Amino acid sequence: MWETVKMLCETADLNCNFEIVALKRAYHRIRSGDVDALVTINIGQLKDCCLASDWSSPWSAGFFSTTAKENIPDSQEDLQGKTLIVVNSMKSPYLFAKDLDTMSDESRLTLYKAPHILSAVKMFLKNRAPLLWGGDDFKWYIHKIKATAEYSFKPFVTIPVVVWVRKDKPEILELFNQAFAKLKETSKLEDKNLLSPALMKERYVDAPLER
């Protein structure tokens, strides 16, 4: 997905500097005006400060588990007595279990909140909990930390990822939207609005894991 966003920037002739930061910090930085745009899911959480790009791509989230897939909880009620890890300020777990924090406060489950994806994955791989809520992108971290790790993954929600742009930067949003239209017209994107396989093979460079 990052290669696609980078190409959107290039096509828009924008000089984009990318940072990967904890979600809570990311939300604070875009609301405070410290950054111009943020790539994250769209569940309306940033409508107070920002506008979403025309470009979007589906992102799936659910439970990673050290147990068999059939043992993964299917509902909020099934979480009773379970131990799980989530990333602090991540919104998608609450689409699956809106009362997650209440259940934790009432000791109906054990909930660990990690500050960012890397620490959450490390906790999961060290068997701090048999369940980790995460998305497709978590698989990259798991492979980087422990390529031989055995786990199950069961998605429960699919949400569009967009580029949120501050309302006081409409020129940036317009350039992003124009770039998206151009990439679509030239057939450089596939059906999920990601780079075509040929372009991805040409442009993809695997990033090092920042520990």
Side-chain angles (χ1 to χ4, degrees):
M1 188 173 290
W2 286 108
E3 296 302 327
T4 302
V5 177
K6 288 176 183 176
M7 190 157 187
L8 281 167
C9 287
E10 292 174 18
T11 305
D13 199 24
L14 288 168
N15 182 21
C16 298
N17 296 310
F18 294 91
E19 291 183 64
I20 298 176
V21 300
L23 279 171
K24 187 174 183 179
R25 184 180 171 201
Y27 288 139
H28 172 74
R29 289 184 68 184
I30 194 165
R31 284 193 169 104
S32 66
D34 188 38
V35 296
D36 298 318
L38 175 63
V39 182
T40 191
I41 61 172
N42 181 5
I43 54 171
Q45 76 277 32
L46 290 170
K47 285 185 176 180
D48 58 319
C49 66
C50 309
L51 297 171
S53 61
D54 290 345
W55 173 84
S56 67
S57 184
W59 175 83
S60 295
F63 279 118
F64 291 84
S65 176
T66 55
T67 65
K69 191 172 183 178
E70 56 267 24
N71 295 329
I72 294 177
D74 285 316
S75 67
Q76 176 173 280
E77 290 70 28
D78 293 338
L79 291 176
Q80 188 89 13
K82 304 294 185 183
T83 302
L84 59 146
I85 303 164
V86 300
V87 176
N88 193 28
S89 295
M90 197 173 187
K91 306 297 183 183
S92 58
Y94 299 94
L95 299 178
F96 175 81
K98 64 182 178 64
D99 300 321
L100 194 59
D101 289 336
T102 301
M103 293 178 73
S104 175
D105 292 342
E106 295 175 353
S107 300
R108 287 187 280 155
L109 55 78
T110 301
L111 180 65
Y112 293 112
K113 290 188 176 182
H116 43 66
I117 296 175
L118 180 59
S119 58
V121 170
K122 284 182 176 179
M123 290 170 66
F124 176 68
L125 293 176
K126 289 179 180 178
N127 295 315
R128 288 284 301 277
L131 292 169
L132 164 67
W133 180 275
D136 296 325
D137 46 329
F138 283 50
K139 297 174 185 178
W140 181 86
Y141 287 86
I142 292 174
H143 180 76
K144 281 288 186 179
I145 296 170
K146 189 177 180 181
T148 59
E150 295 185 2
Y151 63 88
S152 305
F153 176 64
K154 191 171 184 178
F156 288 100
V157 298
T158 300
I159 314 164
V161 168
V162 301
V163 180
W164 286 99
V165 181
R166 285 186 53 84
K167 290 179 180 178
D168 58 2
K169 300 287 183 176
E171 69 281 2
I172 294 178
L173 181 62
E174 183 177 356
L175 289 171
F176 261 115
N177 290 342
Q178 289 174 356
F180 171 51
K182 185 174 181 180
L183 292 179
K184 287 284 282 187
E185 289 169 5
T186 53
S187 301
K188 291 181 178 177
L189 302 178
E190 44 96 273
D191 59 348
K192 292 184 179 181
N193 286 335
L194 299 176
L195 289 183
S196 66
L199 268 176
M200 184 63 76
K201 184 177 180 181
E202 175 186 318
R203 295 175 58 91
Y204 180 72
V205 177
D206 195 18
L209 180 68
E210 295 184 5
R211 296 177 181 272

